[in-house]
Amino acid sequence: MKLTVKLVSLFAVLSFVACKEASKKEAAKSTVTQTEKSEYQIPDSWIEKRVTSASNRLNATEAGKVLWGAMEAHGGLKKWYANGYLSFRFNYQPLNGKGIRDSYQTIDTWNNKARHNSITDKNDIFGWDGNEAWIKAKDSTSFEYDTKFWALTPIYFSGQPFVFDGKGVNLELLPQVEFKGALQNVVKVTYDKGVGSAPDDYYIMYINTETNLVDAFKYIVSYPEYFPEGGHAPEKITVTQETTTVNGIVFAKGFKTYWSKPEEENGLGEYITKIDVSDISFSNKVPENYFSKPNGAEVLK
């Protein structure tokens, strides 16, 4: 999966004035104590400019029109950015019991930054500040997986279709398919060379022709740290499991992931991973330097 898609940034960080209220659910959310608080707000004019640019670019192609329609059905790109920082718990559970990844995270959707904390110990944290990955944990058992790879991975599940609004994203409209009894528009997403940490990744979105919601998506993992000589993992297909609407944005409450097997019914092979998504919320406030490497953290190379 990709760490980030490089977006053309026309903006500067505003001054900070207030603080994000820590969650009451201590098991899922970290508490940050600071004397100086900060608030980050995106001017409406910036959002309008970005949304207008994305709309013009996407609606210039048939594949882009389908993707734009999905964005509108999921609540709209304008609302996606205007809502502020996105927080949620993402519990990734391979059925073989190996590689479970369960964290609560806050995402700066505007700048593709992330901060995660462990569900079991709120003091164990990792993140991506837009340039560097970092981790601060008591020992190597706190996160027994590649946190650099994982920092932005969950948003490429829960943030579809909005995460494909940037430049450097290529769209191809594929033939329609029937999936679980519903006709689907199919859009393949690829990336320009040099975009993000894994430009060979692709996604194939199934967008329901009646609801315009994302019913499923296929994808590959080509992360160079996992495949230093090139290549990628076998294709998987992830299927939305029920939806919820938060601040006007439609999210999946969970996913089921299968090996992609075109010869099987609906293209679904072995069921391999269960994903639960919960505690979804938006806020326009976070503590100052929330996504930056904290004192005592290690920068990941």
Side-chain angles (χ1 to χ4, degrees):
M1 307 288 284
K2 302 176 67 58
L3 274 176
T4 184
V5 174
K6 293 180 181 176
L7 303 176
V8 177
S9 179
L10 303 175
F11 317 108
V13 177
L14 301 179
S15 58
F16 290 80
V17 293
C19 149
K20 181 179 181 179
E21 179 185 7
S23 169
K24 296 179 181 178
K25 299 183 179 181
E26 294 295 334
K29 305 181 182 182
S30 62
T31 301
V32 180
T33 302
Q34 289 183 241
T35 56
E36 292 187 13
K37 308 297 184 179
S38 61
E39 183 175 358
Y40 181 74
Q41 293 184 333
I42 305 298
D44 289 344
S45 60
W46 292 9
I47 295 171
E48 289 287 354
K49 187 172 184 178
R50 184 160 178 172
V51 172
T52 298
S53 176
S55 176
N56 290 341
R57 184 172 62 253
L58 293 176
N59 283 294
T61 67
E62 292 306 309
K65 289 177 183 177
V66 172
L67 180 59
W68 181 257
M71 290 180 179
E72 291 290 282
H74 277 266
L77 191 61
K78 180 177 180 179
K79 185 174 290 293
W80 170 255
Y81 287 122
N83 278 344
Y85 298 105
L86 170 64
S87 297
F88 57 97
R89 179 177 176 178
F90 194 86
N91 188 3
Y92 180 90
Q93 307 155 73
L95 299 188
N96 64 8
K98 299 177 181 178
I100 293 174
R101 305 168 191 187
D102 188 7
S103 66
Y104 183 81
Q105 59 210 267
T106 297
I107 307 295
D108 178 350
T109 59
W110 187 262
N111 295 299
N112 271 19
K113 297 180 181 181
R115 174 174 171 140
H116 296 238
N117 69 271
S118 167
I119 297 301
T120 56
D121 188 336
K122 63 187 179 184
N123 295 311
D124 289 340
I125 55 178
F126 67 91
W128 171 256
D129 68 3
N131 295 297
E132 294 180 320
W134 53 265
I135 185 170
K136 185 177 182 180
K138 60 180 180 296
D139 56 44
S140 60
T141 65
S142 298
F143 302 107
E144 296 184 287
Y145 51 88
D146 186 333
T147 56
K148 180 179 178 181
F149 166 74
W150 199 249
L152 285 175
T153 293
I155 194 60
Y156 279 87
F157 284 71
S158 291
Q160 290 196 34
F162 304 109
V163 290
F164 302 130
D165 80 308
K167 293 183 179 180
V169 175
N170 305 304
L171 305 173
E172 179 185 359
L173 189 62
L174 302 181
Q176 291 179 327
V177 300
E178 186 172 300
F179 180 74
K180 293 197 167 185
L183 188 63
Q184 308 285 329
N185 285 319
V186 183
V187 176
K188 184 173 183 178
V189 179
T190 58
Y191 299 93
D192 289 345
K193 290 190 179 299
V195 173
S197 62
D200 292 333
D201 280 3
Y202 67 73
Y203 298 85
I204 299 175
M205 307 172 68
Y206 285 8
I207 299 170
N208 190 297
T209 59
E210 291 190 7
T211 66
N212 280 331
L213 298 178
V214 178
D215 280 354
F217 59 91
K218 297 179 180 180
Y219 71 95
I220 61 164
V221 174
S222 65
Y223 184 46
E225 294 293 323
Y226 294 168
F227 302 96
E229 297 181 2
H232 56 79
E235 186 180 78
K236 299 177 181 179
I237 181 167
T238 292
V239 183
T240 297
Q241 303 297 302
E242 194 178 349
T243 62
T244 185
T245 301
V246 179
N247 285 36
I249 299 296
V250 179
F251 291 94
K253 294 175 67 175
F255 302 95
K256 287 185 176 181
T257 297
Y258 305 77
W259 290 121
S260 178
K261 296 290 184 182
E263 66 275 14
E264 300 291 341
E265 184 178 3
N266 295 307
L268 301 176
E270 180 187 358
Y271 172 33
I272 53 176
T273 305
K274 178 178 185 288
I275 301 170
D276 294 320
V277 183
S278 60
D279 302 310
I280 305 169
S281 66
F282 285 98
S283 174
N284 67 347
K285 302 176 183 179
V286 295
E288 190 170 10
N289 300 318
Y290 189 64
F291 300 100
S292 300
K293 177 177 71 70
N295 291 335
E298 172 191 357
V299 173
L300 301 172
K301 303 298 183 181

